[in-house]
Amino acid sequence: MVSDFKSRVGEGWRLALREVLERARALGPRAVLAFDLDSTLFDNRPRQARILREFGVSVSQRALGLCEPRHWDSGFDMRGAMRNCGLSEQEVEAHFAAARTFWLERFFTSDYCVDDTVVPGAAAFTRAVVEAGAHLVYVTGRHEGMRAGTESCMRRHGLAVPDDARVHLLMKPRPEDDDDAFKREAHARLGTWGTLIAAFDNEPTHVNDYARRFPDARVIHLATDHSGRPVPLLETIVSVPHFDPDA
């Protein structure tokens, strides 16, 4: 079961987002803002649902063939999604191993990440960062083989697109590289563009790392979903439900 951080979202979350943009405008090109992608800017439930639908068709399991994004309501819990589609516990266990293999062959690819949608307000927020003159750096656990699909999805949904000037996309060189280690190594690269003033991520481990490495930055946690590791958030971290302060 994925811990529910939504109860952690306080009344001041909108102000926190506005203050980040105000500081970005004040510092302009000296400011650096870091953003994760999956479950931070992108909602990958449509990708998850597509994969489970295709698996369902491949094994003639009609209930899975009708999978929708709403069935993925517990992060990466495939068993939960299969139950939400209507499978019994016995059916879930009968199909899980094959479904997991099917998923692994597709989830981390450009062909499937193009199905992602965006978290509310994410596109406008990234554009506002660029309009402020700051550097926007996407720091993601996605690997280089997903770059084309990732940038295509950014264009389609109106996010700021990497341009090697103000917008940068840092990706793992290889799929097997550890996400935690890669993001910690990326921290050192952020300083080459200026001063990190804000970082956004959905994973408690990663936001905690940002808070420890950059104590003067505003570190913001997206209370969407996460990998399920039992990691408590540091008290200084603000949780927000999305990027639309007017919602």
Side-chain angles (χ1 to χ4, degrees), residues 152-175:
S152 174
C153 201
M154 287 175 173
R155 292 188 186 91
R156 181 156 53 90
H157 290 293
L159 275 75
V161 179
D163 59 7
D164 294 324
R166 294 288 180 201
V167 185
H168 316 272
L169 174 57
L170 303 184
M171 310 183 83
K172 297 191 305 186
R174 299 167 296 275

Side-chain angles (χ1 to χ4, degrees), residues 32-229:
V32 177
L33 293 87
F35 295 82
D36 179 43
L37 293 181
D38 290 296
S39 299
T40 298
L41 295 173
F42 282 129
D43 180 350
N44 58 39
R45 290 177 300 171
R47 189 188 344 168
Q48 305 262 34
R50 173 188 170 188
I51 294 171
L52 201 50
R53 281 198 304 273
E54 292 182 0
F55 173 76
V57 170
S58 74
V59 296
S60 301
Q61 174 48 259
R62 184 176 182 278
L64 295 182
L66 298 175
C67 184
E68 298 177 11
R70 64 182 175 86
H71 292 132
W72 289 83
D73 62 0
S74 298
F76 286 82
D77 180 9
M78 182 180 290
R79 285 185 173 89
M82 295 169 83
R83 286 192 291 269
N84 289 340
C85 288
L87 269 63
S88 67
E89 287 297 332
Q90 183 176 3
E91 290 172 324
V92 168
E93 293 309 315
H95 289 292
F96 178 76
R100 176 68 177 170
T101 298
F102 191 92
W103 182 92
L104 284 170
E105 292 170 349
R106 290 160 178 79
F107 185 79
F108 301 103
T109 68
S110 274
D111 289 344
Y112 282 78
C113 74
V114 295
D115 281 18
D116 293 352
T117 56
V118 290
V119 170
F125 198 89
T126 62
R127 295 196 303 270
V129 169
V130 175
E131 290 165 4
H135 284 272
L136 188 159
V137 187
Y138 298 115
V139 183
T140 175
R142 296 183 182 195
H143 61 89
E144 284 288 349
M146 299 176 71
R147 183 175 289 270
T150 297
E151 294 189 2
S152 174
C153 201
M154 287 175 173
R155 292 188 186 91
R156 181 156 53 90
H157 290 293
L159 275 75
V161 179
D163 59 7
D164 294 324
R166 294 288 180 201
V167 185
H168 316 272
L169 174 57
L170 303 184
M171 310 183 83
K172 297 191 305 186
R174 299 167 296 275
E176 63 269 21
D177 291 340
D178 180 74
D179 284 7
D180 296 350
F182 168 75
K183 289 199 171 185
R184 288 168 184 149
E185 292 168 2
H187 290 171
R189 299 178 62 183
L190 295 174
T192 64
W193 293 296
T195 300
L196 185 77
I197 67 165
F200 301 81
D201 205 300
N202 65 297
E203 281 292 332
T205 295
H206 299 158
V207 289
N208 288 346
D209 283 348
Y210 274 118
R212 294 186 179 107
R213 176 66 177 78
F214 302 98
D216 295 328
R218 170 71 86 171
V219 180
I220 294 182
H221 164 254
L222 270 293
T224 51
D225 57 41
H226 60 93
S227 62
R229 290 183 288 180

